[in-house]
Every structure is written in C-alpha cells, then in structure tokens.
Amino acid sequence: MSATTVRAWAMAATAMLGIAWSMPANAQSIEQGLLQLEWGDPAPVAPGKARAQSRFNAHLVKDDGSRITLDPAQARKAAGDLYVLANRRVAIAFGVSPKGTSSLPPIEAIVPAERPSQSAQVSAVGARVAAAAPVGGVTRWVTLMCKFSDIVTEQKALPFFQSQYGETVGQLGHYWREVSYDKISLTGSSAYGWFTLPQPRSFYVTQENGKDKADLRKLFADCGAAADASVDFGSVQGVNMMFNGDLDGFAWGGGSCAPLEGRANFCTRVTWNPPWSFSNLAPLAHEMGHGYGLPHSDNSDGDDDTYDNPWDVMSDGWSNVVRDATYGARPKHINIFQRHRLSWVDAARQRVFALGDVATRQIALDYAHLAGSTNVQMLVLSLSPQADPYATVVYTLEARKREGAYDGALAGDAVIIHKVEASGTAYSVDADVPAADTSNNEGSMFKVGERWLTPEGTHVVTITAQTATGFLLTVGPPRVMSSPNPPRLKPSGTSASSAPATTGGRLPTMPARTPATARCAAPGGARSERCVVRER
C-alpha cells in the first residue's frame, strides 16, 4: 500500500467502527510488514525466591526480511490494541527522531494493512482495533523436537508430544476447543523429532551483559531446517519447538520467520520451550496463547510480577491448577477479556454499561466456562464517553466456578473483576487493602451479599444470588442514601489513567449482625477513601 492508500484504509476502518482514530497526516515515513511480538517467561522458582521479570519484544518484519525494532510502550499506545495485530500485516507511521539522538523514531500510529472487507469481523461492543481479525477454525500446530549437538538427553519420547495434541480431557486439543467455545481446533496437529541441531547450545545461547541471551531466530531457522524434509509446513499455523536443554532461563512465545518450504520468509506463530516448559501442559498452553497474540494478565498488588493472577493461564499457570499424572500442571482457562480479544465471546453473551447510564438492571451472569450459555458471560463497565467503550478504562466482570478438568482447583466460586485500560493488560481487582500478593484471596472474589463500587464512583455492582449457572447481579449508578441507611462509598479520587491497581469499595449489602471493621489504608500506609468493610 502507498501512504495515501494506508491513510484511506485507516479512515475507512475508522468510519466502519465510528472511532475517531486514523493515520496521522504528518507522518514522516510509513513502513509496512508483519508485526511480530515475543514474550519471554522465566522458569518457576522456589517459594520465597524472586522470579525474573518477563520480557517482551516487538518488531516489524519488512518484505525483504529486514526487521525494525519497535519500542513496546510506544507500539501499545499507537496501535490501540497491539495484541490483536500480532502476526498480521500492518502499516506503521513513524515520526522524526529527536535531533542529536540515536533513539528509534517515535511511533505515531499502527493500523492493519489489509483493506476493509465484508469478511472482517467487528465486535458488536466495539473492538479497539478496526476490523480486528478473529482467531477461528483449524489452527494446526506441529511440534519440532530439537537436540543441541552437544546434549544427547531426550527428556520425552515422540508419543508423549504427539499425545499432547489429543482431544481427550486434559490434552491440548480438548483444552483449546473448550476455552474458545469450540471456535478453534488443533485438528491435524502432530509432533516430529528428535532432530539434531548443527551447532552446540553455546552457538544459540550467548552472553550479553553477563546474562544468557537466546537467539530465537537462529533456533527457529536451524530447528525448522532440520525438520523441513519431514514436515509439510504449508498448512501449519503454529510451531512448538522443544529443546533438550535450557535456553536463557525463559520459555518464549509469539511469532517468528525462517527460510522454510522453499520460501525465504516463512512466518508463523512460534514457541520456544525448554524441558521445564514442555513437561507441563500449563506453560506450554501459556506460550501457545502468546502465539495467538494473547498478552499477560496481572493482579492489582502494584509490583512488577505479572505472574500473580491465578484466574488466567496467561498469568499464573502454576497456582490453583489441576494436576495430571502424564502432563503435569494442566492449564486453567483464560479470563473473559482475553477470550473477547480473540473474538471468542459472541456478541449476545456481552453486555456493556456505558458511562452515564442511569438505569439499574439485574443481570444473569453465567459461568465463563459454560459452552452454549444463554445469558451474559462478559459484563463490561465502561468509563469511556466515546463510541468505543474500550478507549479508556473498562471493568470486565465474569463468573468463575471451581469445577472441570481445567478450573477444578480455582480458589472458589465467585464473580471476578478485571480492570483494563486502553485494551492493555487485564488486572484482577482486589478489595483488600493492601492488595494480596496473589489474587486467590477472598478480596479478589466477589460473592453473594457483597457490593462493589468502581474507584471512579461510576457504577455499583451488587451480587444478589447464586444460580445453577452463575450469579445474579444488580448493576447501576451509585445513589446517595439518607440516614439511617449507610452512605454510598466514595471514589478513590484518582484519575482513570493512574495506577493500574485499583480496589474500589466493597461491603455487605445486608446489615452486619456483629460489629465490623473498616480498613481504609492504601498500600504504604497512606490514607485512602477506598474502604473495605467486612463482618467479623
């Protein structure tokens, strides 16, 4: 596409969604190519030990195979929802680097480079990216088992990796069908190997600033080349690579390119798994989730650990998990916003309460894992005054139940709330002050008889009853009540774009039978207007 065509497409997509968002007219340069995202996930650590921070890389792969490194923070802001553009062709408008610096040119905007078409699916509640492409149908993955030339150990045999893709309960084929409401399948997926790489581990994992650094592209290129004669990559939509030695302390997931199938640039979803990752299904599913474009979720304790939300396999895949004698830790489901990001939540199962909605309504919120639900499964409280409800801050509510092959070890049955800002990370809301280190506490579970007020003071949610299929909620604007009824909870006084960790207010809806204690201290001991009131 020319720059003029790119701007025209952005305007057409904008008009299609009614979003005031387009390619800047004063962009200095426009580059096109494939958007590739890579997430690095550290190995689990013993209790009490600090875990390494996750890693995230973003690149634009141009048609000639060259790569432009993107600043992740700028890319997130410029794209709206960067993650639904993963592994897709995009156009990026760059500005001018500040004079006298060697920094990368600033990113002004990122839009999909495909033309609008009738086949493009647009979410009824408004996706953040114009014509966001759904992930659906058959997504065939192949496993490539590759040995470093200087390591002979083969931790698992070929039948183990082949069976991981099965459709039996506890296998990946069954898991991804269930979590996607049967929107995707892994039909035709299989495993191949072990193949011997042409180089030792030290060739692929080098030292940078005293730390191991894995060359992901070399690993994909050589592992793929070793398997090329045995594997038909023509219909492959994802490659899971298993290595018989540690990489750089991380497992990786996202996308990559390699010279395969006679093509100079064969690009697809890719994961890089050391033994600790492929021995358990949960971390492998986590990396495959990155392959589908899913980012991490988090909790609201405000630290730099993104692996402390056990309501989503894309955060904490190790806590509150069902164990399997063959496949280790099973993956739990992903949160409802992650499902929505991939267009797996039907429009009829979504309900949005916009900013300024003055009506109070009762909502039947079905458990998120139920296929064929006839009620709402994704409730959205939007703080956006714009046509796009995801433009600023939303709170998503879902019902979770401790049952089934994957969610059978969750912390409990409850309504779970996540805060999402500008279609970014989903942070689980915790009513405890300070927030718990891991969000499997009572403060993160909203149950019958409890009421929650958004920190901004815009919406009140009351959990009124539990049903056979979920919970009944009353949702509406806050109301000031005169004595002797309790006053409404006050907002925190913070702006919607402040810290991602927010608690809101929570209190029983019924008068306490015994005296209650109120904790009104913010993290660090500072006073806060956010109060948690509970019965003793």
Side-chain angles (χ1 to χ4, degrees):
M1 288 184 181
S2 66
T4 301
T5 305
V6 169
R7 291 193 182 100
W9 153 222
M11 293 175 65
T14 295
M16 183 166 56
L17 284 181
I19 301 172
W21 179 65
S22 62
M23 188 70 71
N26 60 346
Q28 296 300 308
S29 65
I30 294 177
E31 298 285 356
Q32 296 181 55
L34 191 73
L35 178 68
Q36 284 190 341
L37 309 177
E38 300 165 345
W39 287 264
D41 298 294
V45 297
K49 290 189 176 182
R51 177 166 35 198
Q53 293 184 31
S54 63
R55 297 179 181 177
F56 180 67
N57 304 320
H59 296 91
L60 179 71
V61 182
K62 299 175 64 175
D63 294 340
D64 61 4
S66 62
R67 293 156 60 91
I68 300 176
T69 301
L70 306 177
D71 178 88
Q74 290 185 20
R76 290 187 185 102
K77 183 177 180 180
D81 190 340
L82 181 70
Y83 310 112
V84 298
L85 294 175
N87 301 312
R88 293 177 62 190
R89 187 172 181 81
V90 300
I92 302 182
F94 291 97
V96 179
S97 298
K99 290 184 177 181
T101 70
S102 59
S103 60
L104 297 170
I107 303 171
E108 302 293 341
I110 305 177
V111 298
E114 305 98 341
R115 294 177 183 271
S117 68
Q118 292 182 347
S119 63
Q121 176 174 326
V122 180
S123 168
V125 298
R128 193 64 184 105
V129 170
V135 175
V138 175
T139 57
R140 178 180 173 240
W141 289 75
V142 293
T143 288
L144 309 183
M145 305 142 57
C146 289
K147 298 190 298 183
F148 295 109
S149 65
D150 59 338
I151 302 176
V152 298
T153 306
E154 298 177 0
Q155 288 85 357
K156 299 287 185 180
L158 178 61
F160 171 82
F161 294 107
Q162 290 173 327
S163 68
Q164 284 183 320
Y165 290 120
E167 294 288 345
T168 302
V169 171
Q171 296 175 317
L172 287 171
H174 182 273
Y175 169 78
W176 284 112
R177 280 186 186 273
E178 181 170 304
V179 80
S180 70
Y181 307 120
D182 211 30
K183 296 289 196 305
I184 67 169
S185 78
L186 305 188
T187 302
S189 299
S190 191
Y192 305 85
W194 290 88
F195 305 104
T196 301
L197 296 170
Q199 302 290 341
R201 177 182 176 275
S202 59
F203 176 81
Y204 304 99
V205 183
T206 57
Q207 289 281 306
E208 184 176 284
N209 299 322
K211 296 181 179 180
D212 284 345
K213 180 178 177 57
D215 191 320
L216 303 181
R217 284 185 291 164
K218 285 183 179 178
L219 286 166
F220 184 34
D222 283 3
C223 185
D228 204 3
S230 304
V231 180
D232 175 12
F233 289 97
S235 61
V236 166
Q237 296 190 30
V239 175
N240 286 316
M241 291 182 294
M242 314 300 175
F243 298 98
N244 70 334
D246 189 31
L247 301 179
D248 49 7
F250 292 76
W252 290 83
S256 192
C257 300
L260 295 171
E261 291 292 309
R263 293 155 55 181
N265 240 14
F266 173 82
C267 303
T268 189
R269 304 176 178 106
V270 180
T271 72
W272 298 256
N273 299 277
W276 63 263
S277 176
F278 65 64
S279 296
N280 291 272
L281 220 57
L284 179 54
H286 180 112
E287 301 310 328
M288 291 177 70
H290 288 322
Y292 288 125
L294 292 177
H296 291 133
S297 57
D298 204 343
N299 75 349
S300 55
D301 62 1
D303 64 16
D304 55 9
D305 183 4
T306 189
Y307 303 102
D308 40 19
N309 177 355
W311 301 100
D312 186 352
V313 74
M314 297 310 298
S315 178
D316 183 355
W318 299 101
S319 302
N320 300 99
V321 298
V322 176
R323 299 285 171 176
D324 189 289
T326 302
Y327 304 111
R330 287 183 183 175
K332 61 177 73 72
H333 282 192
I334 57 179
N335 73 57
I336 200 70
F337 187 76
Q338 300 274 40
R339 285 175 158 119
H340 165 69
R341 179 171 265 133
L342 299 180
S343 299
W344 291 347
V345 184
D346 292 339
R349 305 281 75 78
Q350 305 175 36
R351 183 68 177 272
V352 176
F353 282 81
L355 182 68
D357 192 329
V358 297
T360 297
R361 300 178 178 87
Q362 186 174 72
I363 301 294
L365 187 67
D366 275 0
Y367 292 119
H369 72 275
L370 294 178
S373 166
T374 57
N375 294 310
V376 172
Q377 290 179 292
M378 177 180 178
L379 182 61
V380 179
L381 310 180
S382 173
L383 272 64
S384 175
Q386 305 174 31
D388 175 9
Y390 294 94
T392 54
V393 172
V394 300
Y395 294 92
T396 64
L397 283 73
E398 63 187 291
R400 300 292 289 270
K401 187 174 185 181
R402 182 169 48 196
E403 72 173 10
Y406 309 105
D407 279 0
L410 293 179
D413 302 351
V415 173
I416 306 302
I417 304 173
H418 285 84
K419 176 183 177 180
V420 184
E421 184 170 355
S423 294
T425 301
Y427 294 87
S428 63
V429 170
D430 188 346
D432 288 344
V433 180
D437 291 336
T438 301
S439 59
N440 54 7
N441 59 316
E442 284 297 322
S444 69
M445 295 184 284
F446 295 85
K447 300 179 178 179
V448 175
E450 295 182 329
R451 181 163 64 95
W452 180 73
L453 171 70
T454 61
E456 298 79 8
T458 56
H459 304 81
V460 171
V461 178
T462 304
I463 318 299
T464 59
Q466 187 170 5
T467 70
T469 59
F471 292 88
L472 293 179
L473 282 60
T474 300
V475 183
R479 301 178 185 275
V480 177
M481 300 180 182
S482 59
S483 181
N485 292 322
R488 73 175 176 89
L489 296 178
K490 298 179 181 180
S492 66
T494 59
S495 67
S497 60
S498 59
T502 57
T503 59
R506 173 179 180 172
L507 80 169
T509 57
M510 299 298 173
R513 292 182 292 275
T514 58
T517 58
R519 294 191 291 165
C520 300
R527 293 291 298 172
S528 170
E529 291 180 322
R530 295 193 294 264
C531 295
V532 179
V533 182
R534 290 209 185 97
E535 298 179 30
R536 283 186 182 145

